[in-house]
Structure formats: C-alpha cells, structure tokens
Amino acid sequence: MTYPKRLIEVDLPIKRISAHARREKSIRFGHISTLHIWWARRPLAACRAVISAALWPDPADPLCPETFRVTAGRLMRKWGSDHLKLCGEESGRHFIAIQKDPNLLKDNAVLRRALLDFIADFANWDNSTVREYLDTSHALTLAAHEALGGAPGTRPLVVDPFAGGGSIPLEALRVGADAFASDLNPIPVLLNKVVLEYIPKYGQRLADEVRKQGEWIKREAEKELAEFYPKDIDGATPIAYLWARTIQCEGPGCGAEVPLMRSLWLMTKANRVIALQLVPNRKAKRVDFKLITKKRSGWVNQNDNNEKIADPNLDGTVKRGSATCVCCGYTTPVARVREQLKTRFGGARDARLYAVVITREGEQGRACRLPTELDLRAVAKAGQALVAKEKKHTGNLTLVPDETLPLMSGVFNAPIYGHTTWGSLFTQRQALTLVSLVALVKQAEREVEKVTDPGLALAVGVILAMAVSRLADISNSLCNWSINASQAVHLFGRQAIPMMWDFAETSLLSDAAGDIGTTVRNMLRVLEGEIGAYDAGQIVKANAAAHPLPDDSSSLFFTDPPYYNAVPYADLSDFFYVWLRRMLIEKCNDLFAEQFSPKTDEICEMAGWDPVRYPHKDKTFFVSKMTDAMREGRRVLKPDGLGVVVFAHKTTGGWEAQLHAMIEAGWIVTASWPIDTERGTRLRARNSAVLGSSVHLVCRPRENPDGSVRTTDIGDWRDVLQELPRRIHEWMPRLAEEGVVGADAIFACLGPALEIFSRYARVEKASGEAVILKEYLEQVWAAVAKEALTMVFRGADASGFEEDARLTAMWLWTLAAGANLSNEEMDDESSEDGDDEKPAKFSGYVLEYDAARKIAQGLGANLENLGSLVEIKGETARLVPVAERAKHLFGKEGADVSPGSRKKERQMDLLSLIGESESDNPTVGVSTFQPGTTVLDRVHQSMLLFSVGRSEALKRFLVEE
C-alpha cells in the first residue's frame, strides 16, 4: 500500500537543528545528562526535531489527510499571530509574512515550510519547556495520529529498544506521543525510570523529598567524615588533594622514592600561576617539594617571596610510562614501573600527597599549599576507619567492591598496573566516603518509606543512589587535575579506564563542584525543570532482539543502536553497577541480581576489544543479533509506521554491518539526514576523518499486507547502477548547502544510495546472480568520490587530473569535517600508560584503510601504487605530508625531513638535498634532482623549495623546468 509521506521523508532543516544540537553539548545545568553518565547520549534537540517530523504528515503530499492540513493551518496561523515573539530569527520572517496574509497557508508548500520552521525553533533548548511550544506540538501530534487512522483520544506510540541515556523516549513524550523504552543494561533502565516514570508521576513531591533527604545525607556525612577532611588551622577549606603514585628507583645504589608525575604545573590562571619544584633529598632517599609562583619579576618561592628562582624545568618525572629519578637521574623502564605497581594493587593507597588545593572565606579563587602533618594523620585515620568498618560488616557483598576489573587493551589499561578489582581504583579515604554514603542512602530510603508510599520511597532511593554513583566518577584515583580549570576532572571524560600516574582527590564535603551537596542540587534542577512538561512513559529491561510488545503496536520505531564496536557499554557500566548494586539490590533485585551487568546478549562487536572473554562476539555475531533487533522493530511497527535508525561510525565495516542488518530485516530506506551532534573542539579530530554528524536513516517496512516481508521485488543491477550517480548528484549539493562536507557527507550519502537498493528484496545481474550489499557499497563509494571531486573543483574539468592529484584532493576534502569527533570515539591522546599496545600516532592526514581504498578505487587509483604519497599501517592509511616526501622528490640519500623536527633543522636537512648555497651560483641544486613525473610532484617540489627560501632555484624550476 501507499501511505502519505511524513515531513522527515521530504525535508528537514538540518542546519538549524544541528546548531541547536551542538549548543546543547555545552549545557550542563538542568540537562538529563547531569542525572548520571551514559555514553553517546543523543542531543535532545535532534531527537525532538526528528520525532516531530517523523510523526507529522507532509501537507504537500497528495495523500496527506485534509483534516491534518486544516488543523495544522489553524495552529500555524495561531502561532504566527499570538506567539511570533517566540520564533527564531529565520522562521520569524516567515511567520511575519503569514501574519500579513494568512491565506498563504492554503498553499500546502507554505504550510510545510511553516511546520519545518516550527520544528527548527522547537529544537532550541530554551524552548523545550515553553508551554506554547509544548501545547502546539501536542496538538499537531494528536491531529496527525487521528488523521492517519489512530483511535480518537489515543496517542501514537514511539518505541526505542536501545534506550540508553533516554533522549529519544523523553522527547517522544515532550512532543505529545506515548513512549515505550527498553534496554538490556540496568543503568539506562534506572535513568529512564527517573525521567519517564518518576518525574511525571510524583512531580514536586519527588523533588521536595530528594532535597530533604539529600540535605540530611550531607549533614550526617559531615558528622561522620569531618575528621577525615579537616579544615586548616587558619580556617581555609581543602577542596582537593593532589597525589602521585610512587616507585622505588632501580638505579645502582639509589633506591629513592620516585613520585610519578606527568607535569609540575598546578595552576595556570592568568592571575595565579603555580607550579611545583622537586628538590632531591638523597640522604632521605626521597624528593621534597617546593611551591613556586610566577610573578611579573619571575619565579619565586611561594612561601618566601624574597627567594627568586631561575626559570624551572616543569617537565614531570614520567614519560611514556618510564620514570626518571630526581636524585640520581636513572630512568626506570615502563616494564619495571608496571611490575612495582602490580605488587601494590595499582599504588593508589600508598601514593604520595604533594599539594593541597584550598579556598579561603572572603578570598576569590583557589590557592595551593604543601601537605601538613594534619593532612597525613587524617588520611591514616581514614584507612583505619575503613578497616574497622570492614571487620564489622556481615553482608553478602563486600563494603568496597572486590569484583574483578578485567583487562581490555585500549580501554581498561589500569589492570596492567595492578588495579585488578573495581575497589582498587579508590584510595582508602575515597572508599570510606563512598561506603558511608551508601549506608546513608539506604537509611534515607527506609525513613521515607515510613512516612509515604513505597513507590515514592523507591524513587527517592534510586535518585540518591545515582548521586553516589556519580560521586564515584569524580572520587577515584584516576581523576585528572586540570591546571587550566583548577579543578578535578572526572574519570569518564572518555570511554576508557586508563592509568593515571598523578591524580586529584576531591573533598566530598567542601561545597565545591563534585561534592555531595552540589551533586544533589544539580540533579534537582533536572527534576524540577521537567515537572509538568510531559506525561509518563514506560521503561522495561528487555533484549532488543526479543521485544516484549505485540505486533503492529507502534507508530514510530526510533532508535540509536550500538555503533558496532565503538563503545564497550556493558564493561564500562560495571564501574557504576557494582556501587549501585550495593544500594539497590534489595528493592531492584530484578535489575541487580547478577554480579555484573548483562553482556551475553549485548549487541556489540567485542572480539576486537577482548578476544579472550568475547571470542564469539565478532562481526557475524553483531550482524545476526542486530538483524534480529531490526526485525523485531519492524514486527512491532504498524504497516503505515515509520522507522528511524541513528548511526555514526567512522569505519566502512561498521556501516556495512548495520546496513546489512536493516536490509536483511526487511526495511526500505526512504530518506537520510545527517545532524551535527558533536562539539567541534575535541582533540582526536585533528587530521582524522572522524564523524561530527549522526546519520538518521528513515525507513519503511518492506511488507506484505499480512506483515510478512515482501520477497518478490526484484531489481535489475543495470537500472540500479544508472540511478545511483543521479541520486548522489542530487543529494551532495544539498548537503553542501547545509554545511555537511567531508567524511560526514560521504556517510550521509548512504541513505539516498540505499533508497535505490533497499526497495528490492533482491537485486540481480543479467546472469541471475544476486548482488550483495558489500558489492553495491563499493559502487556507492565510487559514485560519491566522483561527485565530490566535481564539487571540489567546481567549474573545472577534473577528469584530466592524474590519480595522485585526484586522490589528494578527495582525501583532504574528506578531512574537511575533521574538526569534529563522534562521541563514540576514544581520545587516546590523554592516555597515561605508555604501553607498546597503544596505537601509534601518525603525523599527516589519516583515514581508515578500507575507506581510503574505496575512495581511491572510485577515483581510478590504487593505494598500493602510490607508496610515496600514501603510507599504510595495519587498518590505517596516511596521506604523507609534503615535507616527508622530500627524499622521493629530490632523490638524495640520507634526507631526513621529519614533521616533528624543529623548523631550522628541517630547513638545513632540505638545503643539503638541493644545494647548500645559491648565493655563489644560482644554479646550484637545480640540477641535483629531476622534475616530478606528475603535476602534484612538481607542486610539492615547488613548495619545498619555497619553504627553505631557495627563491632563485624555485624561479628557475618554475620558469625553465
């Protein structure tokens, strides 16, 4: 059957939605992300816009019900006349025109534009709780549902089987639909229970009780723990303690204690620059510390401003895992550092305290001081108190989690250094604090249950437990100290548990960021901000491959599934799971009965992360399980319903796996929209084709009337190949207009390409042989590469370019969006361990090898024939920088023009290639090399001559050669 198209199948204001989504990444107060960490949460702005456009019909479609057009026109007229001041600048101009002439809305194309403008404005974070937007959206959703055959008084159901951080089901409720969310992992189930069930059901009562119990927990924690976080004698309040793990120097006859420190900087604020100076104490076989401050006159001793200090060396003692002793200068290799820390379970509990960050009442900013005997006694007393608590404990679970922390290369590297249990990640004082808070949360829930209904008491207990779980993230021995922000940085700034040599211990009683009071107050902003904004939804713990809903029960299947092997969600979540289990196992036994979070049925490719524990979870496993999940999504969707699947992965293998699952499950891709969902300031994006956009694939079920998959639609391979370049040619200029370029544009083209291929159950060649998806995607990459090249050289004939020039241009265009990074990608640059297992760093311009191969193939080039231009290492391909091509271009042995060298050295090396001096004889150097065989080679030769100031040689080369 044919159904009216939804707005999202026709158009979407992706540029404006992307701007709102990017801005949302910097919003910290009142956002659901502040309830608890969950990785790769979709921006609410993108979800809100996509759900609206997926539920509302396109009024310009001939099959659009007239009843919806009438209602939508009335609502947009009212919007234009009553609420014009709420509109954004772009849509405001549109609505001014409508206000002047309401009859414009009788034109269905104008009405479509009005709805899209409303969606773009509604995506703004500032409008997400404005009643005028909510009421208009709800009315449009209800009108669309009834016009499309929904029972009067009911609402469309939006289903998300990979609910994760909860953005999709929350925004479904906000838009005016019902939401059914599920997830296999208990932590997102808890998160969604708070957002979808507890807030709508209990409202202000919940917020009031959380505030009351949170304040009680803070007071009781201060009574119990104050002696372990003492204030200074002069009244200053310590807010952070800076520690360094230590080893014993293995230099001959030394044996001194070596603090493992990355850097000696402590603060770099404009008005407060503080660092540490290491003073060797050979007699005591240790290092003493001195605080130094930079004044206008230079560096001085902080404790004696009359003592001037020469410009200090502020490099740390550890580099790439090897530690250098200040006393004797011997460098202990990384293997021995690792072995020493292994014997001390990671070295967190006998680390060296080297500085304390304090605040003083009446003074602005933060200051540093050296540790005192009072600090050290408090730490020792905390250790004794923890041991005493453990001796008295009689429960089934240990107070401090002793569950095994597995080793996962590139993700969990801390176990290499002895952190083999989750509890070993915490110092004794940190563990004592968390153990005390765990007990207080359980007691608070019992007190609430005495005076109110068990449901509200459970909701309060869950939220307070999540607060303690959040505190574990900022109170462990892998927290970094930010010298720029002058504060501790939580562990999960990236999706990994790396080793951290020096670390910051926050005081959870200090009224600073990261303490118990601040954490609860930030969570309350979410609770109170969302009260009354939407009705309740439903969340259950369920496997996406065996969905609990009946057939044909939902109007929209919208999900953001795991991105192949991008994030090991379940293993990462165990950091929180082991603490939450200790607080909630009695009341949430269905979620926390097992020792760890569920992993067997988690749909991720894990063999690459951990082949020992997950040898079976390979690409075949992922495709099989994801096919089941996509098939279940089609089963629960109504015949006229819509599916939207979000995907963002930098490898072609990941895309092929997801797309194969969707097509095999019986979906037809009808549209696709790349929405920029990531910040543009992350480190790993530099010179790397990583994605800043998430591609939203819009789908329809390929079904017979009885719900079975249509298998009789056979496509002709020749027809598909003829249509493909035309479709790409139509789509890429539209992407460019919206600011979507580079790698984002390449993957965004998969949607329109799949519109052609997925409409058929089978595409056949003239011989009757079936065309597999992988073969078709090879053609897609080729079509995209050729179209992109014509866009790069707009108005020029690029067909005559040699293959190296074509590939270079396309390669650099692919990296044009490289200022962005998918939230799924790990930032290896901040890792501390220095293991030889760590991926090598590349200078130059990097692509995944398979993507580079396919781009080259589409341009008629072969990577293996371009060895001087492209370097291939494993799964990575690198476009070699011009300076590194000097040896190839100038033909002299011994050339060493390294991108990492200093400029002066680089010039001298190159001068030796092409002639030391041109002043005596301007022809010197020109005859020592031959002009390149391609135009690109000659351009690079010219660039190198110019870079070393060989103007005469360059002139002769350009004019005469």
Side-chain angles (χ1 to χ4, degrees), residues 219-275:
R219 289 195 303 272
E220 293 300 311
E222 287 173 342
K223 292 178 188 177
E224 184 177 341
L225 300 170
E227 62 178 312
F228 309 119
Y229 297 95
K231 288 197 172 186
D232 291 359
I233 296 175
D234 63 359
T237 301
I239 64 169
Y241 302 85
L242 307 185
W243 298 83
R245 290 174 171 81
T246 64
I247 63 162
Q248 187 177 37
C249 176
E250 297 185 353
C254 183
E257 178 190 76
V258 182
L260 304 178
M261 306 175 73
R262 296 162 298 154
S263 168
L264 301 183
W265 289 98
L266 299 181
M267 292 184 185
T268 56
K269 294 283 188 181
N271 60 342
R272 189 161 295 181
V273 178
I274 305 174

Side-chain angles (χ1 to χ4, degrees), residues 479-527:
C479 291
N480 185 23
W481 176 253
S482 170
I483 61 174
N484 297 319
S486 297
Q487 66 181 33
V489 179
H490 65 108
L491 166 59
F492 287 110
R494 64 188 184 101
Q495 299 97 358
I497 299 180
M499 189 57 170
M500 192 68 65
W501 307 122
D502 47 355
F503 61 93
E505 177 195 13
T506 56
S507 170
L508 299 188
L509 309 178
S510 63
D511 283 324
D515 81 314
I516 180 67
T518 304
T519 298
V520 172
R521 285 194 296 272
N522 287 339
M523 296 175 78
L524 280 166
R525 292 191 184 191
V526 182
L527 303 184

Side-chain angles (χ1 to χ4, degrees), residues 73 127 162 176 205 301 318 347 454 465 543 866 932:
N127 298 331
F162 297 102
R205 289 173 62 204
N301 186 334
V318 64
N543 186 344
L866 296 170

